[in-house]
Amino acid sequence: MRTLLRGAAALATVVTIVSLPGGATAVPRPAAAVQAARSAEAVQIPDGVTAGVAVFDRRTGTFTEQVDESARFRSASVVKLLLALDFLWDRGPDYTVPEADRARLEPMLRSSWDDAADHYWSDYGGPAIIDRMSDRLGLRDTAPPPAGYEGYWGYTALSARDTVAIYRYLLDKAPAPVRDFVMDNLRRSTRCASDRFDQHFGIAGSFERPWAVKQGWSGTYAKGTCGASGATVASEPAAAPGARAAAAVDLTRPALHTTGTVGADDRAIVAVLTLHPAGTSYGKAYADVGRLTRSLNVPGGTRPSGSWFGTWGEFVNVRRGPATGDARITQLPAGVEVLVGCQVLGQVVSVPPYTNEWWAYLPQYGGYISNIYVSSPDNRLPNVPECGPARP
């Protein structure tokens, strides 16, 4: 696992370049910030993952994390923030969102509904939307999709620092009705996206509420979540390698992004944009983004109680109770990490040559999985309390 040193923003004029193992180079840092970072916990970027990170503390007006924050990534569904803001621009304080548009915008923001994004992209100018919003918000790295891919809104180029700028506009400058409409929908993010991906990774898994998120994923993943059973979905088609230079972004590797706000009064703005090696499973990318996000210094964020464990097996069921006959809530992405709050004796489950009667309670799902699918040397998970006679 690679590590990048963290440092708070500073006003010193002397800049130092931090060289990292493997030839990587951190973003230039003010010297005072680099000195402070040497004693700080490192930002954890899993091996093989390319990341752009920015965390902004709205209370102090400073960044607490910046790692390749100007690097461009394809936006995937994070661009839906710009589609919504463009539609709502200059509508006036008394503007009421028409019912037909509310029926599109709400699921687009809450459940990342692609059909709604297609509508606004095709009806309001496509790439011109990105040019307009970049000018309006002063975005420095954002650019429309490359030539030949004008129809694919998810190929918009975006950086972590521009993502922070979008949220800062929303929270500090947007008219109150616009701010409230967009942020309220982001606070109501559904675990299951409209395309059946589990979208509560990263910010949503790393911190207790209050949080608001707009996530993004792009590439081909085998999924087994939210009741699906192993379908393969690509949010955009894979681009030809020759398109990469024109776009100034990587259009081929799987992308997984977590963005939003954390804490009371939306204290921290968090943007984590990532690319993963070709062939990475959704569960692996999900777990890697979670580890990275949990390593960040996020002011105002409260970590959930419990212990993190890896899982194995595909399409593992999360059930209402500790028995295979109890109702299924959802299915886990294969190999994802889960937060375990407690464990309880339940129905014996057999996956030869293993058997296990213990079940883990997953507070973030509100249900149980058999410990047989939890990566642990023992049937009973170490350092995890029993749930007691009453279910949580």
Side-chain angles (χ1 to χ4, degrees):
M1 177 173 294
R2 295 184 295 118
T3 60
L4 292 180
L5 297 178
R6 73 157 54 105
L11 298 178
T13 58
V14 178
V15 175
T16 301
I17 302 293
V18 181
S19 295
L20 301 172
T25 302
V27 176
R29 294 279 187 248
V34 172
Q35 184 64 36
R38 290 192 180 112
S39 61
E41 179 185 355
V43 177
Q44 298 179 2
I45 300 180
D47 292 339
V49 174
T50 299
V53 179
V55 179
F56 184 78
D57 184 352
R58 297 177 62 234
R59 184 174 298 176
T60 63
T62 60
F63 284 90
T64 62
E65 303 286 13
Q66 289 178 291
V67 176
D68 287 340
E69 68 275 11
S70 64
R72 286 177 164 184
F73 294 75
R74 69 187 188 277
S75 67
S77 289
V78 179
V79 76
K80 291 169 184 172
L81 293 172
L82 294 180
L83 301 186
L85 287 174
D86 181 75
F87 174 79
L88 296 169
W89 199 265
D90 282 342
R91 297 286 184 172
D94 298 323
Y95 177 74
T96 299
V97 179
E99 191 59 36
D101 287 292
R102 183 178 291 273
R104 296 185 187 100
L105 290 168
E106 289 184 348
M108 184 178 80
L109 294 171
R110 297 181 192 184
S111 305
S112 208
W113 188 30
D114 288 346
D115 288 356
D118 291 342
H119 167 80
Y120 291 106
W121 188 259
S122 62
D123 283 17
Y124 291 87
I129 297 172
I130 306 306
D131 290 331
R132 287 195 298 266
M133 292 308 301
S134 294
D135 289 342
R136 289 163 173 169
L137 304 186
L139 305 179
R140 293 178 282 179
D141 311 307
T142 302
Y149 295 93
E150 294 87 350
Y152 298 107
W153 40 262
Y155 285 169
T156 297
L158 190 64
S159 67
R161 68 179 180 181
D162 275 1
T163 304
V164 168
I166 294 168
Y167 281 102
R168 290 186 69 184
Y169 166 78
L170 256 175
L171 294 166
D172 300 330
K173 296 181 180 179
V178 173
R179 178 195 65 223
D180 294 345
F181 178 81
V182 174
M183 294 305 298
D184 180 63
N185 279 295
L186 299 187
R187 293 185 224 288
R188 299 187 187 191
S189 167
T190 61
R191 174 172 287 280
C192 292
S194 61
D195 60 3
R196 309 303 291 169
F197 276 97
D198 183 330
Q199 64 168 347
H200 278 185
F201 53 85
I203 294 168
S206 300
F207 303 99
E208 297 281 14
R209 291 184 185 270
W211 45 254
V213 295
K214 184 67 204 80
Q215 317 282 57
W217 50 96
S218 175
T220 301
Y221 296 99
K223 69 186 177 89
T225 61
C226 297
S229 56
T232 298
V233 171
S235 54
E236 295 98 12
R244 296 171 69 173
V249 293
D250 188 321
L251 299 179
T252 59
R253 283 183 290 166
L256 198 65
H257 310 321
T258 182
T259 79
T261 64
V262 176
D265 299 320
D266 300 299
R267 176 173 174 177
I269 300 172
V270 180
V272 177
L273 311 181
T274 65
L275 293 173
H276 302 259
T280 299
S281 70
Y282 188 63
K284 175 66 163 57
Y286 188 115
D288 282 347
V289 170
R291 291 191 201 105
L292 194 167
T293 306
R294 294 196 299 272
S295 76
L296 300 177
N297 176 11
V298 179
T302 301
R303 311 284 175 168
S305 59
S307 301
W308 290 93
F309 289 88
T311 61
W312 67 275
E314 294 188 354
F315 321 133
V316 174
N317 293 314
V318 181
R319 299 193 177 276
R320 294 286 180 193
T324 58
D326 286 331
R328 184 177 72 184
I329 298 172
T330 188
Q331 292 177 317
L332 297 178
V336 75
E337 287 186 335
V338 292
L339 182 73
V340 177
C342 58
Q343 58 189 332
V344 65
L345 285 169
Q347 180 183 352
V348 174
V349 174
S350 178
V351 180
Y354 306 107
T355 60
N356 200 325
E357 71 276 27
W358 286 93
W359 289 67
Y361 177 71
L362 311 183
Q364 294 181 333
Y365 291 84
Y368 297 80
I369 63 169
S370 169
N371 281 13
I372 206 167
Y373 297 110
V374 180
S375 299
S376 172
D378 302 311
N379 282 6
R380 182 174 177 174
L381 303 180
N383 303 313
V384 174
E386 290 191 40
C387 299
R391 296 179 183 177

